[in-house]
């Protein structure tokens, strides 16, 4: 019995050890697998708040899951300064090394993209790419002394920021200053020669081979990056982020704003339609989200609102088209002034503005024409619709009696006596749901019928 118990005990211990082995082995493999991965994100868009949030989240995930590095493939014309600084803060504070790779061939890292590349632990470019042109643009400056003084402060701040990033990563500070002051842009081979980037790679495989064994600093300690054999894990934006990124496009935000105005205008001019009002409200909210990521000139917004007011007034005021002309001019000027920046990547396309203003103006003119024509028509229903209708006196009217008009019996009053059976015509509706009528000669009635 004791021997049997020892056997059972041995088997239980063996099973427990085996269970522990099974439990710990996958964790160890998972840890090694995570360490052998590199998180890769590709951005081929303007740098905006949605893109910045996505990149920062992926940098955090890289560190949270213990991946070897974060690789950002970039092709951008630039973007918002605030979004750029958020990304750079995420890069500078990342324990895991950050690699910025300007690719594919023909791509660029302009403006904000150039400074993001400077901030990376390892900067690489594909052949046929360029980097630079980071001069801050004026935000609606009028050319006065105050505007010039403000732009000088912005310029000095950008220069200091660029030099600081280059100094921290051991890159060419003079070049960093020139891309801000002079708008300098360099091709890949020149950037490598000037020690702006660390290497030129044909593709991702070549990039990983060249990066393997390179050193980087963390808290004053030199560490070695191991990329050979690492698995590239690609991270993509989810559907929500893609929608928000699309809405943040200046052209899309502008079109949504115009759609919202059209919907609200149609709802106000035809109360009770509901669907245009609902679509217009949704479009306006989406447009406001997109515009909050852009440097908006509120004078432009006010001009657009003025255009809607002028179009509405045209319905109720006889201006012989002058209010419509004013509305079209206000719409065009407001569209041109809406985005307050000289940065072409953040401006609304002139072709989009021209086409939108043309379509909106045509829409407003057609709607106003039909609404005005409808308002000027004689009434066909209700109390006003009875005026001018003819009927028959069902009883003598002296001064009141009963008449049959428009398929209904009414109490009527007349200033002159009317015998039963005579033809009457409604002059007006009087208080008490009564009609005021007059006698119609049968000859006149027959002539009207013919």
């Amino acid at each position: 019995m004791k021997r049997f118990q020892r056997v059972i005990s041995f088997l239980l211990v063996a099973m427990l050890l085996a269970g522990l082995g099974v439990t710990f082995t996958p964790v160890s493999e998972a840890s090694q697998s995570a360490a052998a991965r590199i998180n890769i994100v590709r951005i081929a868009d303007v740098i905006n708040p949605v893109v910045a949030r996505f990149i920062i989240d992926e940098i955090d995930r890289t560190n949270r899951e213990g991946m070897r590095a974060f690789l950002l493939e970039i092709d951008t014309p630039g973007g918002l300064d605030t979004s750029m600084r958020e990304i750079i803060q995420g890069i500078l504070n990342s324990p895991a090394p950050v690699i910025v790779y300007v690719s594919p061939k023909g791509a660029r890292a302009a403006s904000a993209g150039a400074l993001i590349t400077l901030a990376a632990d390892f900067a690489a470019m594909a052949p046929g790419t360029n980097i630079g042109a980071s001069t801050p643009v004026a935000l609606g400056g009028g050319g006065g002394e105050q505007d010039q003084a403000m732009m000088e402060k912005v310029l000095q701040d950008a220069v200091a920021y660029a030099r600081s990033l280059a100094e921290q990563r051991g890159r060419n500070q003079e070049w960093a200053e020139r891309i801000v002051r002079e708008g300098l842009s360099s091709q890949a081979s020149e950037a490598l020669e000037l020690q702006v980037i660390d290497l030129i790679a044909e593709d991702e495989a070549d990039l990983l081979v060249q990066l393997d064994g390179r050193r980087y600093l963390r808290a004053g300690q030199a560490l070695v990056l191991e990329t050979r054999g690492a698995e590239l894990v690609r991270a993509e934006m989810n559907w929500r982020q893609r929608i928000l990124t699309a809405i943040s496009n200046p052209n899309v935000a502008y079109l949504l704003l115009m759609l919202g105005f059209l919907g609200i205008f149609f709802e106000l001019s035809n109360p009770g339609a509901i669907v245009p009002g609902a679509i217009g409200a949704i479009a306006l909210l989406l447009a406001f989200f997109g515009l909050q990521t852009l440097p908006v000139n509120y004078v432009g917004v006010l001009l657009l609102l003025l255009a809607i007011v002028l179009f509405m007034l045209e319905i109720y005021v006889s201006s012989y088209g002058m209010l419509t002309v004013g509305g079209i001019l206000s719409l065009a000027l407001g569209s041109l002034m809406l985005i307050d920046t000289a940065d072409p990547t953040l401006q609304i396309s002139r072709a989009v503005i021209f086409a939108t203003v043309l379509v909106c103006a045509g829409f407003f003119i057609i709607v106003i024409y039909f609404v005005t024509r409808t308002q000027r028509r004689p009434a066909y229903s209700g109390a006003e619709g009875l005026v001018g209708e003819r009927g028959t006196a069902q009883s003598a009217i002296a001064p009141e009696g009963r008449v049959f008009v428009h398929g209904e019996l009414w109490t009527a009053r007349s200033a002159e006596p009317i015998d039963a059976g005579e033809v009457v015509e409604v002059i007006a509706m009087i208080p008490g749901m009564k009609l005021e009528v007059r006698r119609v000669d049968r000859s006149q009635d027959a002539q009207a019928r013919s």
Side-chain angles (χ1 to χ4, degrees), residues 63 101 116 133 135 138 164 172 299 311:
N63 290 290
Y101 181 34
I116 291 173
T135 305
S164 174
N172 191 327
V299 175
F311 288 133

Side-chain angles (χ1 to χ4, degrees), residues 63-236:
N63 290 290
R64 187 171 60 252
E65 298 183 6
M67 298 186 190
R68 287 187 180 177
F70 174 75
L71 172 57
L72 175 61
E73 292 187 353
I74 193 170
D75 176 15
T76 178
L80 294 177
D81 178 76
T82 53
S83 300
M84 174 198 71
R85 290 178 184 257
E86 289 178 8
I87 294 173
I88 291 176
Q89 287 178 7
I91 292 174
L92 296 179
N93 291 286
S94 171
V98 176
I99 308 158
V100 174
Y101 181 34
V102 184
S103 70
K105 296 177 181 179
R108 58 177 169 169
S111 191
L115 296 184
I116 291 173
T117 306
L118 282 177
D121 291 284
F122 302 100
M125 297 176 68
T129 57
N130 65 284
I131 184 173
S134 299
T135 305
V137 295
L139 298 181
E145 293 183 2
Q146 292 183 350
D147 294 322
Q148 292 179 359
M150 180 58 68
M151 274 306 302
E152 182 62 26
K153 291 181 180 180
V154 172
L155 180 63
Q156 293 298 334
D157 176 72
V159 167
Y161 192 58
R163 290 186 67 95
S164 174
L165 294 174
E167 180 184 14
Q168 184 163 357
R169 296 308 190 193
R171 298 198 167 94
N172 191 327
Q173 297 183 45
E174 298 299 326
W175 182 88
E177 179 174 347
R178 290 185 64 191
I179 65 171
V180 175
R181 288 191 181 277
E182 305 172 15
L184 176 68
S185 183
S186 300
Q187 60 187 12
S189 58
E190 182 183 3
L192 180 62
E193 182 181 347
L194 294 173
Q195 298 182 348
V196 175
I197 60 174
D198 301 304
L199 55 95
I200 297 176
E202 289 286 340
D203 50 30
E204 292 173 356
D206 184 29
L207 176 66
L208 295 183
V209 170
Q210 294 191 55
L211 285 175
D212 188 58
R214 290 183 179 252
R215 297 180 178 273
Y216 64 97
L217 294 177
R218 279 298 179 273
Q221 182 181 3
L223 303 176
V224 177
L225 176 63
E226 297 179 3
T227 58
R228 190 179 298 273
E231 176 190 359
L232 292 179
V233 181
R234 297 186 180 275
E236 301 286 346

Side-chain angles (χ1 to χ4, degrees), residues 19 64 137 188 200 262 341 410 413 428 433:
R64 187 171 60 252
V137 295
I200 297 176
L262 289 175
T341 178
W410 291 82
R413 175 178 293 180
M433 294 295 291

Side-chain angles (χ1 to χ4, degrees), residues 117-392:
T117 306
L118 282 177
D121 291 284
F122 302 100
M125 297 176 68
T129 57
N130 65 284
I131 184 173
S134 299
T135 305
V137 295
L139 298 181
E145 293 183 2
Q146 292 183 350
D147 294 322
Q148 292 179 359
M150 180 58 68
M151 274 306 302
E152 182 62 26
K153 291 181 180 180
V154 172
L155 180 63
Q156 293 298 334
D157 176 72
V159 167
Y161 192 58
R163 290 186 67 95
S164 174
L165 294 174
E167 180 184 14
Q168 184 163 357
R169 296 308 190 193
R171 298 198 167 94
N172 191 327
Q173 297 183 45
E174 298 299 326
W175 182 88
E177 179 174 347
R178 290 185 64 191
I179 65 171
V180 175
R181 288 191 181 277
E182 305 172 15
L184 176 68
S185 183
S186 300
Q187 60 187 12
S189 58
E190 182 183 3
L192 180 62
E193 182 181 347
L194 294 173
Q195 298 182 348
V196 175
I197 60 174
D198 301 304
L199 55 95
I200 297 176
E202 289 286 340
D203 50 30
E204 292 173 356
D206 184 29
L207 176 66
L208 295 183
V209 170
Q210 294 191 55
L211 285 175
D212 188 58
R214 290 183 179 252
R215 297 180 178 273
Y216 64 97
L217 294 177
R218 279 298 179 273
Q221 182 181 3
L223 303 176
V224 177
L225 176 63
E226 297 179 3
T227 58
R228 190 179 298 273
E231 176 190 359
L232 292 179
V233 181
R234 297 186 180 275
E236 301 286 346
M237 286 187 176
N238 56 37
W239 63 269
R240 174 181 171 275
Q241 291 168 325
R242 291 175 183 172
I243 292 175
L244 295 181
T245 301
I247 294 173
S248 299
N249 183 291
N251 293 321
V252 176
Y254 171 69
L255 291 175
L256 286 171
L257 185 65
M258 292 295 100
L259 178 62
F261 282 153
L262 289 175
I264 297 300
F265 171 81
F266 194 89
E267 181 67 29
L268 292 177
S269 59
N270 295 271
I274 299 177
V275 174
I279 294 176
I282 294 172
L284 280 180
L285 292 176
L286 293 176
F288 291 153
F289 173 84
L291 292 175
Q292 75 171 348
T293 67
L294 300 170
V296 175
N297 185 344
Y298 292 101
V299 175
V301 177
L302 292 176
L303 283 170
L304 294 177
L305 292 175
L306 176 62
I308 301 299
V309 172
L310 292 176
F311 288 133
M312 290 296 299
L313 288 176
E314 183 66 60
I315 298 176
Y316 303 103
V317 178
S318 298
S319 68
Y320 303 99
M322 295 306 298
L323 288 174
T324 301
V325 173
I328 294 174
L329 290 176
S330 181
L331 185 65
L333 293 174
S335 300
L336 292 171
M337 297 174 59
L338 184 61
I339 303 300
D340 190 12
T341 178
D343 189 345
T345 63
L346 299 178
Q347 289 183 343
I348 303 171
S349 168
R350 293 294 185 268
V352 172
I353 291 178
F354 176 78
T356 304
V357 171
L358 193 63
V359 171
C360 289
F363 171 82
F364 284 126
I365 290 173
I366 292 173
V367 170
I368 291 171
Y369 169 76
F370 281 107
V371 170
T372 305
R373 190 179 70 170
T374 301
Q375 289 179 344
R376 292 177 178 176
R377 285 179 178 176
Y380 291 103
S381 62
E384 294 80 2
L386 289 173
V387 177
E389 289 283 336
R390 294 187 177 185
T392 305

Side-chain angles (χ1 to χ4, degrees), residues 37-41 58 61-62 67 69-71 233-235:
R37 292 187 296 168
I38 294 178
N39 191 10
I40 178 172
V41 167
E58 290 304 316
R61 187 170 75 90
T62 300
M67 298 186 190
F70 174 75
L71 172 57
V233 181
R234 297 186 180 275

Side-chain angles (χ1 to χ4, degrees), residues 419-431:
D419 296 330
E422 291 195 73
V423 178
V424 296
E425 182 180 354
V426 178
I427 300 175
M429 176 171 280
I430 57 180

Side-chain angles (χ1 to χ4, degrees), residues 6-23:
R6 284 197 297 269
V7 172
I8 295 298
S9 299
F10 176 78
L11 290 175
L12 289 174
V13 172
M15 291 175 64
L16 178 61
L17 292 175
L20 291 174
V22 171
T23 302

